[in-house]
Structure formats: structure tokens, C-alpha cells
Amino acid sequence: MSEHLCREVNCGESIGRRTVMKTALGAAALFAMGAGGGLNGVAYAASLSKSQRDAMTPEQVLAEMAKGNERFRSGKPMQHDYLAQKRSSAEGQYPSAVVLSCIDSRAPAEIVMDAGIGETFNSRVAGNVVNDDLLGSMEFACAVAGAKVVLVMGHTACGAIKGAIDHVELGNLTGLLARIRPAISLTKYDGERSSKNAEFVDAVAHSNVLHTIDQIRKRSDVLAKLEKEGRIKIAGAMYHLSGGRLEFL
């Protein structure tokens, strides 16, 4: 996946939330004309419907994530009616993506991608590592519930990455950090390989996202098959705490 995803993926213009909510017929007409309809284009006052989600390709879902991040960065997010989204999703949910991200309080995926209720499945664990439980959750999200994208989202200045570099040992955290350590050896870096070096920490975080993606493909035959068939896309991104940019890898 290119860093310039927004420029390379052509998914049409997002449907304006207010326009969509005028009538269901209007929304259907917009979809028929190829006006888009993605992660944020159809959720001003309603969560995604099955038909709207199913009409999107994985590339369109990723492009809408990128557009949502642009709105977040520019300080112009959609005016979500969360109560309406709550009501419209109460009888069923049709998220377009499942996001695996870190527990870091500064990197909430739904907010930085300007997503609403019912638009994304979200799993969070320190260092955005993967285990059997998370793989099972992703398999449910995609194979059962119909999500089109698995996005692994790391971030800069990650404390879990620093802990793995420093070989921190603390109860159950010890085993979690061990899942990150392969990314350290996979990181090609000529400078100071220390947790005190912010550039190296971020380089390892980048490698860790790619390593997690590799683990997902190797450990989940279900997800690997769906991706091979073109039904889903497994992708990675780095969220930059400074500036708020979501960099697709």
C-alpha cells in the first residue's frame, strides 16, 4: 500500500451526510451514479447499512479512512449525530473495517479517522500485536460480519515499542513485549538503536506494523484466503502524534 493512498485510490466523491439523510431513495440514486459512499460519507445521522457497506471495495474503504483523517487534521470533522447513529445501529451493524491499534490514549482510531458509531470494529492492545483471540475477532469481523479491510495502526513515540527495546519485564506485559521484539531485529537502522532515540523507536514501530500484518496472513488461513480472493485488504498505517497524520504503508 502506497503512502500516497489518497492520490492513487479513486473512489469518487463521498456522499454528503445531509444529502443522504434526505431520503433513502436519494441515497440509492447516488450510489447508482457512482457518487461514492464510504466510511464517513454515509453516516452523518445514520450508521452504515448493509447495502452501503457491501457496495464499497476495500480500496474505497481505505481511501475514506484517509479522507476522514484529513478532516480530523484540518479541524473540520463531520458533525456526527451519535444518538441517531446509536439508534440506527441498534438492530444490526455493518462496519466496513476492523482496526487493530495500540491502547495509547493519544491514538484513538475512530477519532483520528473521523468515523462514527457502527463504521469500524476496533481492537486495541499495547503495541498493536496480534494473538489468537484478536485473530478470531478479525475473522468474525470479515468472514461473518462482512468488513472489507483489516487495518493495523501503529503510532509514533509508542511506549510498548520502547519497552520491547529495553527488554522490560513486568508480569503479563513481559510476554506481550516479546511479540514486538522480532520487529526490532527486522528494523534496518544505522544510528543509535536505543529507546532514547525517537527516530529508532518510530522505525521499530513501522517494522512492527509490517510484522503484525505478516503474522495475520501466516496465522489466519481465513483472512489470508479472503485477501487472496480480493474480498478484503490487509493494510498498515502509522499515526503521527505530532500533526495527526495517518500514514498508510
Side-chain angles (χ1 to χ4, degrees), residues 187-199:
T187 302
K188 297 180 180 179
Y189 188 81
D190 295 329
E192 179 188 355
R193 298 175 68 88
S194 162
S195 66
K196 296 180 180 179
N197 183 351
E199 188 177 70

Side-chain angles (χ1 to χ4, degrees), residues 59-117:
E59 289 77 13
Q60 287 174 329
V61 174
L62 284 166
E64 288 298 328
M65 287 177 165
K67 290 180 182 179
N69 178 246
E70 279 297 318
R71 292 194 298 273
F72 167 75
R73 290 176 62 201
S74 65
K76 299 177 181 178
M78 293 291 186
Q79 297 181 26
H80 294 276
D81 186 338
Y82 292 117
L83 291 179
Q85 291 171 11
K86 172 186 67 68
R87 289 191 294 268
S88 67
S89 62
E91 297 300 321
Q93 60 170 339
Y94 306 100
S96 59
V98 53
V99 181
L100 171 60
S101 59
C102 182
I103 64 168
D104 194 292
S105 65
R106 302 165 294 176
E110 291 160 295
I111 294 177
V112 305
M113 290 188 287
D114 191 26
I117 293 173

Side-chain angles (χ1 to χ4, degrees), residues 2 27 30 33 36 38 49 96-97 103 130 166 210 247:
S2 169
L30 286 170
M33 291 186 293
S49 70
S96 59
I103 64 168
V130 72
D166 289 339
L210 299 180
E247 173 191 1

Side-chain angles (χ1 to χ4, degrees), residues 10-247:
N10 180 16
C11 71
E13 294 296 325
S14 297
I15 300 174
R17 296 173 189 265
R18 300 179 191 277
T19 301
V20 170
M21 292 312 298
K22 286 181 180 179
T23 64
L25 180 61
L30 286 170
F31 271 101
M33 291 186 293
L39 189 72
N40 288 285
V42 293
Y44 171 75
S47 56
L48 281 171
S49 70
K50 185 177 186 300
S51 61
Q52 290 165 345
R53 191 274 312 282
D54 291 349
M56 289 185 285
T57 65
E59 289 77 13
Q60 287 174 329
V61 174
L62 284 166
E64 288 298 328
M65 287 177 165
K67 290 180 182 179
N69 178 246
E70 279 297 318
R71 292 194 298 273
F72 167 75
R73 290 176 62 201
S74 65
K76 299 177 181 178
M78 293 291 186
Q79 297 181 26
H80 294 276
D81 186 338
Y82 292 117
L83 291 179
Q85 291 171 11
K86 172 186 67 68
R87 289 191 294 268
S88 67
S89 62
E91 297 300 321
Q93 60 170 339
Y94 306 100
S96 59
V98 53
V99 181
L100 171 60
S101 59
C102 182
I103 64 168
D104 194 292
S105 65
R106 302 165 294 176
E110 291 160 295
I111 294 177
V112 305
M113 290 188 287
D114 191 26
I117 293 173
E119 295 190 61
T120 58
F121 288 108
N122 291 278
S123 52
R124 301 184 70 174
V125 60
N128 41 274
V129 297
V130 72
N131 59 25
D132 290 346
D133 294 331
L134 288 168
L135 286 171
S137 298
M138 292 176 182
E139 289 169 354
F140 165 78
C142 296
V144 179
K148 302 292 187 73
V149 165
V150 173
L151 182 71
V152 179
M153 189 183 95
H155 67 92
T156 57
C158 180
I161 298 295
K162 294 177 183 178
I165 294 172
D166 289 339
H167 292 270
V168 168
E169 294 186 1
L170 177 65
N172 292 301
L173 180 62
T174 304
L176 187 153
L177 296 181
R179 297 182 184 276
I180 298 174
R181 291 204 182 95
I184 300 173
S185 58
L186 290 171
T187 302
K188 297 180 180 179
Y189 188 81
D190 295 329
E192 179 188 355
R193 298 175 68 88
S194 162
S195 66
K196 296 180 180 179
N197 183 351
E199 188 177 70
F200 177 62
V201 171
D202 293 347
V204 174
H206 182 286
S207 297
N208 186 52
V209 169
L210 299 180
H211 176 65
T212 298
I213 290 173
D214 183 61
Q215 289 294 297
I216 291 171
R217 289 175 176 145
K218 287 181 177 178
R219 295 175 58 183
S220 174
D221 292 338
V222 172
L223 296 174
K225 183 174 183 290
L226 288 174
E227 185 177 42
K228 186 176 181 180
E229 294 172 348
R231 294 168 60 186
I232 70 168
K233 185 176 287 292
I234 304 172
M238 279 289 293
Y239 175 65
H240 294 259
L241 295 181
S242 178
R245 179 169 66 97
L246 189 62
E247 173 191 1

